[in-house]
Short mmCIF file of all heavy atoms in Angstrom, two decimals:
data_model
loop_
_atom_site.label_atom_id
_atom_site.label_comp_id
_atom_site.label_asym_id
_atom_site.label_seq_id
_atom_site.Cartn_x
_atom_site.Cartn_y
_atom_site.Cartn_z
N LEU A 8 31.10 0.08 -5.32
CA LEU A 8 29.88 0.53 -4.66
C LEU A 8 28.78 0.83 -5.66
O LEU A 8 27.60 0.55 -5.41
CB LEU A 8 30.16 1.78 -3.82
CG LEU A 8 30.94 1.58 -2.51
CD1 LEU A 8 31.24 2.92 -1.86
CD2 LEU A 8 30.15 0.68 -1.54
N VAL A 9 29.14 1.38 -6.80
CA VAL A 9 28.16 1.70 -7.85
C VAL A 9 27.59 0.41 -8.43
O VAL A 9 26.38 0.29 -8.66
CB VAL A 9 28.81 2.56 -8.94
CG1 VAL A 9 27.88 2.72 -10.14
CG2 VAL A 9 29.17 3.93 -8.38
N VAL A 10 28.44 -0.57 -8.70
CA VAL A 10 27.99 -1.85 -9.23
C VAL A 10 26.99 -2.49 -8.26
O VAL A 10 25.91 -2.95 -8.66
CB VAL A 10 29.17 -2.80 -9.47
CG1 VAL A 10 28.67 -4.17 -9.91
CG2 VAL A 10 30.11 -2.23 -10.52
N ALA A 11 27.34 -2.53 -6.98
CA ALA A 11 26.47 -3.13 -5.98
C ALA A 11 25.16 -2.36 -5.86
O ALA A 11 24.07 -2.96 -5.74
CB ALA A 11 27.18 -3.16 -4.63
N PHE A 12 25.23 -1.03 -5.90
CA PHE A 12 24.03 -0.19 -5.76
C PHE A 12 23.05 -0.45 -6.89
O PHE A 12 21.86 -0.72 -6.65
CB PHE A 12 24.42 1.28 -5.72
CG PHE A 12 23.26 2.23 -5.81
CD1 PHE A 12 22.33 2.30 -4.78
CD2 PHE A 12 23.09 3.03 -6.93
CE1 PHE A 12 21.25 3.17 -4.86
CE2 PHE A 12 22.02 3.89 -7.02
CZ PHE A 12 21.08 3.96 -5.99
N TYR A 13 23.50 -0.36 -8.12
CA TYR A 13 22.58 -0.53 -9.25
C TYR A 13 22.09 -1.97 -9.37
O TYR A 13 20.96 -2.21 -9.80
CB TYR A 13 23.23 -0.05 -10.54
CG TYR A 13 23.25 1.45 -10.66
CD1 TYR A 13 24.45 2.16 -10.72
CD2 TYR A 13 22.06 2.18 -10.68
CE1 TYR A 13 24.47 3.54 -10.80
CE2 TYR A 13 22.07 3.57 -10.77
CZ TYR A 13 23.27 4.24 -10.82
OH TYR A 13 23.28 5.61 -10.89
N ARG A 14 22.92 -2.92 -8.99
CA ARG A 14 22.46 -4.33 -9.00
C ARG A 14 21.25 -4.50 -8.09
O ARG A 14 20.25 -5.10 -8.47
CB ARG A 14 23.61 -5.23 -8.54
CG ARG A 14 23.19 -6.66 -8.24
CD ARG A 14 24.38 -7.51 -7.83
NE ARG A 14 23.96 -8.84 -7.40
CZ ARG A 14 24.77 -9.86 -7.22
NH1 ARG A 14 26.06 -9.72 -7.45
NH2 ARG A 14 24.31 -11.04 -6.83
N ASN A 15 21.32 -3.94 -6.89
CA ASN A 15 20.21 -4.08 -5.94
C ASN A 15 19.05 -3.14 -6.25
O ASN A 15 17.89 -3.51 -6.08
CB ASN A 15 20.72 -3.84 -4.52
CG ASN A 15 21.47 -5.03 -3.97
OD1 ASN A 15 20.89 -5.93 -3.38
ND2 ASN A 15 22.78 -5.06 -4.18
N LEU A 16 19.36 -1.93 -6.70
CA LEU A 16 18.29 -0.98 -7.02
C LEU A 16 17.43 -1.48 -8.17
O LEU A 16 16.19 -1.42 -8.10
CB LEU A 16 18.90 0.38 -7.38
CG LEU A 16 17.89 1.49 -7.71
CD1 LEU A 16 17.08 1.86 -6.48
CD2 LEU A 16 18.60 2.71 -8.28
N LEU A 17 18.06 -1.97 -9.22
CA LEU A 17 17.30 -2.46 -10.37
C LEU A 17 16.50 -3.71 -10.01
O LEU A 17 15.37 -3.90 -10.47
CB LEU A 17 18.24 -2.74 -11.54
CG LEU A 17 18.91 -1.51 -12.16
CD1 LEU A 17 19.93 -1.92 -13.21
CD2 LEU A 17 17.86 -0.58 -12.77
N ALA A 18 17.08 -4.57 -9.17
CA ALA A 18 16.35 -5.77 -8.71
C ALA A 18 15.13 -5.36 -7.88
O ALA A 18 14.04 -5.93 -8.03
CB ALA A 18 17.27 -6.67 -7.90
N THR A 19 15.30 -4.34 -7.03
CA THR A 19 14.18 -3.84 -6.24
C THR A 19 13.09 -3.28 -7.14
O THR A 19 11.89 -3.53 -6.94
CB THR A 19 14.64 -2.73 -5.27
OG1 THR A 19 15.67 -3.25 -4.44
CG2 THR A 19 13.49 -2.24 -4.39
N ALA A 20 13.50 -2.52 -8.15
CA ALA A 20 12.53 -1.92 -9.08
C ALA A 20 11.74 -2.99 -9.84
O ALA A 20 10.55 -2.82 -10.12
CB ALA A 20 13.25 -1.00 -10.06
N LEU A 21 12.39 -4.10 -10.17
CA LEU A 21 11.71 -5.17 -10.90
C LEU A 21 10.75 -5.95 -10.02
O LEU A 21 9.70 -6.42 -10.49
CB LEU A 21 12.75 -6.12 -11.51
CG LEU A 21 13.59 -5.56 -12.67
CD1 LEU A 21 14.71 -6.52 -13.01
CD2 LEU A 21 12.71 -5.30 -13.88
N LEU A 22 11.09 -6.09 -8.73
CA LEU A 22 10.26 -6.89 -7.83
C LEU A 22 9.18 -6.08 -7.13
O LEU A 22 8.20 -6.65 -6.63
CB LEU A 22 11.14 -7.56 -6.78
CG LEU A 22 12.12 -8.63 -7.29
CD1 LEU A 22 13.00 -9.12 -6.15
CD2 LEU A 22 11.36 -9.79 -7.91
N LEU A 23 9.33 -4.76 -7.07
CA LEU A 23 8.37 -3.93 -6.33
C LEU A 23 6.95 -3.96 -6.91
O LEU A 23 5.99 -4.11 -6.14
CB LEU A 23 8.88 -2.49 -6.26
CG LEU A 23 8.04 -1.52 -5.40
CD1 LEU A 23 7.93 -2.04 -3.98
CD2 LEU A 23 8.64 -0.12 -5.43
N PRO A 24 6.75 -3.84 -8.24
CA PRO A 24 5.37 -3.88 -8.76
C PRO A 24 4.61 -5.16 -8.39
O PRO A 24 3.48 -5.07 -7.89
CB PRO A 24 5.57 -3.73 -10.27
CG PRO A 24 6.85 -2.97 -10.40
CD PRO A 24 7.73 -3.49 -9.29
N PRO A 25 5.19 -6.36 -8.60
CA PRO A 25 4.44 -7.55 -8.18
C PRO A 25 4.23 -7.62 -6.67
O PRO A 25 3.22 -8.14 -6.21
CB PRO A 25 5.30 -8.72 -8.69
CG PRO A 25 6.64 -8.16 -8.95
CD PRO A 25 6.42 -6.73 -9.33
N ALA A 26 5.19 -7.09 -5.89
CA ALA A 26 5.02 -7.09 -4.43
C ALA A 26 3.85 -6.20 -4.03
O ALA A 26 3.05 -6.57 -3.17
CB ALA A 26 6.30 -6.62 -3.75
N LEU A 27 3.74 -5.03 -4.64
CA LEU A 27 2.63 -4.13 -4.33
C LEU A 27 1.30 -4.70 -4.81
O LEU A 27 0.26 -4.51 -4.18
CB LEU A 27 2.87 -2.77 -4.98
CG LEU A 27 4.02 -1.94 -4.40
CD1 LEU A 27 4.22 -0.67 -5.22
CD2 LEU A 27 3.73 -1.59 -2.94
N LEU A 28 1.33 -5.42 -5.91
CA LEU A 28 0.11 -5.99 -6.48
C LEU A 28 -0.37 -7.20 -5.69
O LEU A 28 -1.57 -7.35 -5.42
CB LEU A 28 0.35 -6.39 -7.94
CG LEU A 28 -0.84 -7.01 -8.69
CD1 LEU A 28 -1.97 -6.00 -8.83
CD2 LEU A 28 -0.40 -7.52 -10.06
N LEU A 29 0.58 -8.05 -5.27
CA LEU A 29 0.20 -9.32 -4.65
C LEU A 29 0.34 -9.33 -3.13
O LEU A 29 -0.33 -10.13 -2.46
CB LEU A 29 1.06 -10.45 -5.24
CG LEU A 29 1.00 -10.64 -6.75
CD1 LEU A 29 2.02 -11.68 -7.21
CD2 LEU A 29 -0.41 -11.06 -7.18
N ARG A 30 1.21 -8.50 -2.58
CA ARG A 30 1.51 -8.57 -1.15
C ARG A 30 1.38 -7.22 -0.45
O ARG A 30 2.06 -6.98 0.54
CB ARG A 30 2.93 -9.11 -0.94
CG ARG A 30 3.14 -10.51 -1.49
CD ARG A 30 2.38 -11.55 -0.67
NE ARG A 30 2.58 -12.89 -1.18
CZ ARG A 30 2.05 -13.98 -0.64
NH1 ARG A 30 1.29 -13.86 0.45
NH2 ARG A 30 2.27 -15.16 -1.16
N ARG A 31 0.49 -6.36 -0.94
CA ARG A 31 0.36 -5.03 -0.37
C ARG A 31 -0.02 -5.08 1.11
O ARG A 31 0.54 -4.37 1.95
CB ARG A 31 -0.69 -4.23 -1.14
CG ARG A 31 -0.82 -2.77 -0.68
CD ARG A 31 -1.96 -2.08 -1.41
NE ARG A 31 -1.73 -2.06 -2.84
CZ ARG A 31 -1.11 -1.07 -3.48
NH1 ARG A 31 -0.67 -0.03 -2.79
NH2 ARG A 31 -0.93 -1.11 -4.77
N GLU A 32 -0.98 -5.94 1.46
CA GLU A 32 -1.43 -6.03 2.85
C GLU A 32 -0.33 -6.56 3.77
O GLU A 32 -0.20 -6.11 4.91
CB GLU A 32 -2.68 -6.92 2.96
CG GLU A 32 -3.92 -6.31 2.33
CD GLU A 32 -4.24 -4.94 2.94
OE1 GLU A 32 -4.15 -4.81 4.17
OE2 GLU A 32 -4.54 -4.02 2.17
N GLU A 33 0.45 -7.50 3.26
CA GLU A 33 1.55 -8.03 4.07
C GLU A 33 2.60 -6.95 4.32
O GLU A 33 3.15 -6.84 5.42
CB GLU A 33 2.19 -9.23 3.39
CG GLU A 33 3.27 -9.90 4.23
CD GLU A 33 3.90 -11.10 3.55
OE1 GLU A 33 3.39 -11.53 2.50
OE2 GLU A 33 4.93 -11.59 4.06
N LEU A 34 2.87 -6.12 3.31
CA LEU A 34 3.82 -5.02 3.49
C LEU A 34 3.32 -4.04 4.54
O LEU A 34 4.08 -3.54 5.36
CB LEU A 34 4.04 -4.30 2.15
CG LEU A 34 4.94 -5.00 1.13
CD1 LEU A 34 4.82 -4.35 -0.24
CD2 LEU A 34 6.39 -4.98 1.59
N ARG A 35 2.02 -3.76 4.52
CA ARG A 35 1.44 -2.83 5.47
C ARG A 35 1.44 -3.39 6.89
O ARG A 35 1.51 -2.64 7.88
CB ARG A 35 0.00 -2.49 5.07
CG ARG A 35 -0.12 -1.59 3.85
CD ARG A 35 -1.58 -1.39 3.49
NE ARG A 35 -1.75 -0.45 2.38
CZ ARG A 35 -2.91 -0.21 1.79
NH1 ARG A 35 -4.01 -0.84 2.20
NH2 ARG A 35 -2.98 0.67 0.79
N SER A 36 1.38 -4.70 7.00
CA SER A 36 1.24 -5.33 8.32
C SER A 36 2.57 -5.66 8.98
O SER A 36 2.58 -6.29 10.04
CB SER A 36 0.41 -6.61 8.19
OG SER A 36 1.10 -7.60 7.43
N LEU A 37 3.67 -5.27 8.38
CA LEU A 37 4.98 -5.57 8.98
C LEU A 37 5.08 -4.94 10.37
O LEU A 37 4.86 -3.74 10.54
CB LEU A 37 6.10 -5.03 8.09
CG LEU A 37 6.43 -5.83 6.82
CD1 LEU A 37 7.47 -5.08 5.99
CD2 LEU A 37 6.94 -7.22 7.16
N ASN A 38 5.41 -5.77 11.36
CA ASN A 38 5.55 -5.24 12.71
C ASN A 38 6.99 -4.78 12.96
O ASN A 38 7.87 -4.95 12.12
CB ASN A 38 5.14 -6.31 13.75
CG ASN A 38 5.90 -7.61 13.56
OD1 ASN A 38 7.09 -7.62 13.29
ND2 ASN A 38 5.19 -8.73 13.70
N ARG A 39 7.20 -4.20 14.13
CA ARG A 39 8.51 -3.63 14.43
C ARG A 39 9.59 -4.71 14.46
O ARG A 39 10.71 -4.49 13.98
CB ARG A 39 8.46 -2.91 15.77
CG ARG A 39 9.78 -2.24 16.16
CD ARG A 39 9.65 -1.48 17.45
NE ARG A 39 8.68 -0.40 17.36
CZ ARG A 39 8.35 0.39 18.36
NH1 ARG A 39 8.92 0.22 19.55
NH2 ARG A 39 7.46 1.35 18.20
N ARG A 40 9.26 -5.87 15.00
CA ARG A 40 10.24 -6.94 15.11
C ARG A 40 10.70 -7.40 13.73
O ARG A 40 11.91 -7.51 13.47
CB ARG A 40 9.61 -8.12 15.87
CG ARG A 40 10.51 -9.35 15.95
CD ARG A 40 9.71 -10.52 16.49
NE ARG A 40 10.47 -11.76 16.48
CZ ARG A 40 9.93 -12.96 16.62
NH1 ARG A 40 8.62 -13.08 16.79
NH2 ARG A 40 10.68 -14.03 16.59
N ASP A 41 9.75 -7.67 12.83
CA ASP A 41 10.11 -8.14 11.50
C ASP A 41 10.80 -7.04 10.69
O ASP A 41 11.74 -7.31 9.94
CB ASP A 41 8.86 -8.62 10.76
CG ASP A 41 8.37 -9.96 11.28
OD1 ASP A 41 9.04 -10.54 12.14
OD2 ASP A 41 7.31 -10.42 10.83
N THR A 42 10.35 -5.80 10.84
CA THR A 42 10.99 -4.70 10.13
C THR A 42 12.44 -4.54 10.55
O THR A 42 13.34 -4.34 9.72
CB THR A 42 10.23 -3.38 10.38
OG1 THR A 42 8.88 -3.53 9.94
CG2 THR A 42 10.88 -2.23 9.63
N SER A 43 12.70 -4.65 11.85
CA SER A 43 14.07 -4.55 12.36
C SER A 43 14.94 -5.66 11.78
O SER A 43 16.09 -5.43 11.38
CB SER A 43 14.08 -4.61 13.88
OG SER A 43 13.36 -3.53 14.43
N ALA A 44 14.39 -6.88 11.74
CA ALA A 44 15.15 -8.01 11.19
C ALA A 44 15.44 -7.81 9.71
O ALA A 44 16.54 -8.13 9.22
CB ALA A 44 14.38 -9.31 11.42
N LEU A 45 14.47 -7.27 8.97
CA LEU A 45 14.67 -7.01 7.55
C LEU A 45 15.75 -5.95 7.33
O LEU A 45 16.57 -6.06 6.42
CB LEU A 45 13.36 -6.55 6.91
CG LEU A 45 12.30 -7.65 6.69
CD1 LEU A 45 10.94 -7.02 6.39
CD2 LEU A 45 12.72 -8.57 5.56
#
């Protein structure tokens, strides 16, 4: 569980800055249907 957690957490941390920089509006516009699917 620890291996899986840090693998995904570190990947999220690496991808979050470019996502906020390039796709901030898309993140804000997520509707309930897409959020549920995610």
